[in-house]
């Protein structure tokens, strides 16, 4: 979200200062529950007690890698055997997008583990995919031009991963 749409949205506000805390959308609600932030962008639809929630829509992710990476690590496509060996990119220890996509792709209810590089940068993910370091789940707005120009391949074009996002915020009392 930070790399795709939230900065322009914040720029539309006036009279506010922001202290952004960056964390995975699956755990950002915990910051709100602990009272460490006043609002959170989260993938959880139900707000914590004392908070409200606004549905924002979904951010679409695509599993992408460079054509050279695909030729080296997945010459027969993203098979179970290839995904078990091919290095992925993971934002942090909390990031489960790659595992979730692999489980969906392989049709398994069980979480799938894959070897991974840790890289806490959305633009770094795109750059690493372009350089052939690994495959990763990238926000579609960041990779669509690279896919269209053939610099990145979509591992499974019919299987994007949509992550529903919610703006949750503490109710203010007077």
């Amino acid at each position: 979200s930070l790399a795709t749409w939230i900065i322009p949205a914040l720029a539309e506000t006036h009279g506010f200062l922001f202290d952004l805390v960056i964390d995975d959308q699956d755990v950002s609600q915990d910051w709100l529950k602990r009272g460490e932030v006043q609002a959170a962008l989260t993938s959880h639809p139900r707000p914590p007690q004392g908070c409200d929630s606004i549905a924002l829509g979904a951010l679409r992710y695509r599993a992408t890698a460079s054509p050279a990476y695909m030729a080296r690590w997945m010459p027969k496509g993203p098979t179970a055997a290839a995904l078990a060996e091919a290095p992925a990119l993971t934002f942090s220890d909390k990031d489960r997008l790659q595992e979730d996509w692999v489980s969906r792709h392989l049709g398994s209810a069980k979480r799938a583990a894959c070897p991974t590089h840790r890289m806490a940068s959305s633009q770094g993910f795109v750059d690493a995919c372009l350089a052939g370091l690994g495959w990763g789940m990238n926000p579609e707005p960041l990779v669509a031009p690279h896919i269209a120009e053939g610099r990145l391949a979509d591992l499974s074009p019919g299987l994007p991963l949509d992550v529903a996002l919610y703006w949750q915020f503490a109710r203010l009392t007077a």
Side-chain angles (χ1 to χ4, degrees):
S1 297
L2 186 63
T4 58
W5 64 269
I6 203 159
I7 297 299
L10 294 177
E12 293 294 319
T13 65
H14 302 284
F16 295 99
L17 296 174
F18 301 98
D19 181 4
L20 301 179
V21 177
I22 311 302
D23 210 336
D24 189 270
Q25 69 271 358
D26 289 340
V27 298
S28 58
Q29 188 186 59
D30 295 341
W31 290 80
L32 191 56
K33 287 178 185 175
R34 292 190 304 262
E36 295 181 56
V37 298
Q38 293 299 308
L41 183 61
T42 179
S43 60
H44 295 280
R46 289 190 47 179
Q49 184 176 358
C51 297
D52 288 321
S53 183
I54 298 172
L56 298 176
L59 183 55
R60 175 163 281 183
Y61 288 83
R62 296 280 180 182
T64 61
S66 72
Y69 177 92
M70 293 298 294
R72 177 179 179 198
W73 290 98
M74 299 182 190
K76 296 179 182 175
T79 63
L83 289 166
E85 298 291 326
L89 302 167
T90 305
F91 192 84
S92 71
D93 290 340
K94 300 171 189 173
D95 179 11
R96 299 290 178 250
L97 290 179
Q98 286 66 224
E99 291 176 12
D100 290 348
W101 182 86
V102 168
S103 294
R104 281 188 58 211
H105 175 71
L106 298 177
S108 170
K110 186 174 90 170
R111 279 205 186 269
C114 46
T116 190
H117 300 286
R118 300 248 186 300
M119 187 172 302
S121 165
S122 295
Q123 189 57 51
F125 256 54
V126 175
D127 293 342
C129 284
L130 287 165
L133 184 62
W135 73 271
M137 297 304 297
N138 283 298
E140 188 175 66
L142 293 182
V143 296
H146 298 296
I147 293 169
E149 294 172 11
R151 291 190 304 264
L152 285 178
D154 190 328
L155 274 62
S156 184
L159 192 65
L161 185 64
D162 293 333
V163 176
L165 296 174
Y166 302 87
W167 180 248
Q168 296 183 351
F169 52 95
R171 288 187 208 117
L172 300 177
T173 57

